[in-house]
Amino acid sequence: GQNIDQPTEMTATEGAIVQINCTYQTSGFNGLFWYQQHAGEAPTFLSYNVLDGLEEKGRFSSFLSRSKGYSYLLLKELQMKDSASYLCACPGAAGNKLTFGGGTRVLVKP
Amino acid sequence: GAVVSQHPSRVICKSGTSVKIECRSLDFQATTMFWYRQFPKQSLMLMATSNEGSKATYEQGVEKDKFLINHASLTLSTLTVTSAHPEDSSFYICSARDPSGIATGELFFGEGSRLTVL
């Protein structure tokens, strides 16, 4: 089975940095995804990590440590439009279906 | 990038009626599609895996006779909520994997369908 944990809510100020942590336990590891979901909309892909280390993509970066079963999503220079839920997800052992964590709601304040 | 289209985006129905939601892959063929359900302020929960040409695989606790899935072609999967009740009111999202995606697990999502059962 799979178990994916992330905080339920975080609040940050516009222009600041926020780090969203995700810990996972999977029977077989096939990478880790981060998705962004605005209220009432479908999730959109942010990042994919399969090797250890930091992947930077503009204001968003994602980190993975396979030995620790840990990942984080780093959002820099926060903007109001970044207020959304951020979902950590792992594929199953066969690499097919994607299991999501509970999601972290990020509220960006002025 | 790959596009998945879902219809309808919103539907309101009376208790006891059935509702059909369509999910189409617009520019690629999807042998497998996934149906998720999301209640307010909760994450996406996988309901079932839709397989073209064969029966869907349902997750534990999901009633296959209530949530009928048909994967009629390589670009279309449908979810029918039969005899809907207010507790079935939720956001239903379909997704598919584009073989040209960056990883085996990357999913492309439809716009979602918000079902309200009165």
Side-chain angles (χ1 to χ4, degrees):
Chain A
Q2 293 182 298
N3 192 34
I4 302 173
D5 290 314
Q6 49 183 133
T8 54
E9 245 178 41
M10 301 183 75
T11 302
T13 305
E14 192 175 15
I17 298 174
V18 69
Q19 177 174 313
I20 306 169
N21 297 323
C22 171
T23 57
Y24 64 88
Q25 293 174 316
T26 59
S27 53
F29 185 71
N30 284 294
L32 186 142
F33 290 86
W34 283 97
Y35 283 83
Q36 180 192 59
Q37 185 182 27
H38 285 99
E41 298 180 12
T44 55
F45 170 80
L46 287 179
S47 67
Y48 172 71
N49 294 68
V50 67
L51 299 176
D52 290 350
L54 185 69
E55 296 272 348
E56 296 187 77
K57 191 185 294 184
R59 294 190 298 115
F60 293 1
S61 303
S62 56
F63 172 84
L64 176 68
S65 169
R66 289 172 294 173
S67 62
K68 295 181 180 179
Y70 167 70
S71 172
Y72 68 72
L73 180 69
L74 194 68
L75 284 61
K76 295 183 282 189
E77 301 170 20
L78 279 171
Q79 300 176 9
M80 299 300 291
K81 67 178 182 179
D82 297 331
S83 292
S85 285
Y86 293 85
L87 308 170
C88 175
C90 291
N96 46 15
K97 57 186 180 183
L98 205 58
T99 299
F100 287 85
T104 301
R105 287 192 302 279
V106 172
L107 175 62
V108 180
K109 294 185 174 180
Chain B
V3 177
V4 176
S5 179
Q6 195 172 334
H7 176 81
S9 58
R10 291 179 182 273
V11 58
I12 300 173
C13 69
K14 293 182 179 180
S15 184
T17 60
S18 294
V19 173
K20 180 186 284 188
I21 302 170
E22 293 186 346
C23 179
R24 296 180 185 273
S25 56
L26 296 186
D27 53 1
F28 65 99
Q29 294 182 331
T31 56
T32 303
M33 292 185 176
F34 303 92
W35 286 96
Y36 288 85
R37 179 170 53 183
Q38 186 175 36
F39 291 107
K41 297 188 177 181
Q42 295 186 23
S43 189
L44 283 77
M45 297 301 295
L46 181 65
M47 298 175 65
T49 302
S50 174
N51 304 297
E52 190 270 334
S54 64
K55 292 182 179 180
T57 305
Y58 289 82
E59 295 299 302
Q60 192 173 7
V62 178
E63 300 175 59
K64 61 180 181 180
D65 294 329
K66 180 170 182 61
F67 299 99
L68 300 179
I69 291 174
N70 185 288
H71 199 138
S73 73
L74 287 172
T75 59
L76 173 64
S77 174
T78 61
L79 168 68
T80 302
V81 183
T82 63
S83 187
H85 288 96
E87 57 265 31
D88 298 323
S89 298
S90 187
F91 193 50
Y92 292 86
I93 310 176
C94 73
S95 63
R97 180 176 301 114
D98 179 2
S100 64
I102 65 164
T104 57
E106 184 185 6
L107 293 180
F108 297 93
F109 288 88
E111 303 93 330
S113 300
R114 184 162 300 284
L115 171 64
T116 302
V117 184
L118 302 177

